[in-house]
Amino acid sequence: MEIKLKSVHTVKDLVISAVVLAAGIGLYFVNAGLGVVIGICGLLLLFFFKTGHKREGEDIVLRKKAIDIAHHCRDSVKGFLDGKDVEPEIDTNENGGVVRIEIYYNAGAAVAYAQLFDFSNYTYVPATEIVELRGPRAEKLIAKL
């Protein structure tokens, strides 16, 4: 079954949008043109600014983190995502990181969704499908972030 994630608003997104919209309304009384522009920006933020993610059918809000890791870490991370009993190694200090891992996670619920990418022909090519991790396996990967 394919895992589908969609973008959703978080409380932080709504607060930022509301503050910008309120600033636009307040500025309208000082400078009408500037107030209208800032107010429109607030409305656009309200519609398009979504930093949270949810899996379709679940109510757990996830955060996204994308990390470029060193090439020598690829085998340990790929083995971990394939279900082997391997300690994932995430080393971001080496130059020339050609492997990317994208993780959608919620530490409180111990849930993570991860996908590994290889860099080839100036684009990131998926090396694995999106893998669901729950419980101790998810906590192990989240702790490495």
Side-chain angles (χ1 to χ4, degrees):
M1 186 172 118
E2 184 179 345
I3 297 173
K4 294 183 181 180
L5 300 167
K6 62 180 180 176
S7 297
V8 296
H9 289 289
T10 62
V11 174
K12 180 180 168 184
D13 302 338
L14 295 173
V15 168
I16 290 171
S17 301
V19 167
V20 172
L21 183 61
I25 292 170
L27 280 173
Y28 180 77
F29 296 109
V30 176
N31 183 340
L34 184 61
V36 168
V37 170
I38 300 294
I40 290 172
C41 289
L43 285 175
L44 290 174
L45 282 174
L46 187 62
F47 290 118
F48 298 114
F49 186 51
K50 299 177 181 182
T51 59
H53 300 276
K54 280 187 182 180
R55 180 179 180 180
E56 290 182 356
E58 289 187 2
D59 279 341
I60 300 171
V61 178
L62 307 166
R63 295 178 59 194
K64 179 182 179 181
K65 187 155 191 175
I67 305 170
D68 290 330
I69 59 176
H71 192 270
H72 68 84
C73 301
R74 182 188 188 281
D75 292 333
S76 67
V77 173
K78 186 163 180 3
F80 182 77
L81 293 179
D82 288 340
K84 297 177 183 170
D85 191 22
V86 179
E87 184 72 22
E89 182 182 350
I90 297 180
D91 181 15
T92 60
N93 295 332
E94 186 177 312
N95 290 337
V98 293
V99 179
R100 181 180 192 90
I101 184 167
E102 289 185 357
I103 304 166
Y104 300 87
Y105 66 95
N106 185 319
V111 175
Y113 298 93
Q115 186 173 18
L116 190 66
F117 293 90
D118 290 323
F119 189 71
S120 176
N121 294 329
Y122 299 105
T123 60
Y124 286 104
V125 179
T128 64
E129 296 294 323
I130 297 177
V131 177
E132 178 179 7
L133 304 168
R134 292 193 181 264
R137 290 183 55 81
E139 290 171 352
K140 186 184 286 188
L141 185 61
I142 293 169
K144 298 286 183 173
L145 302 177

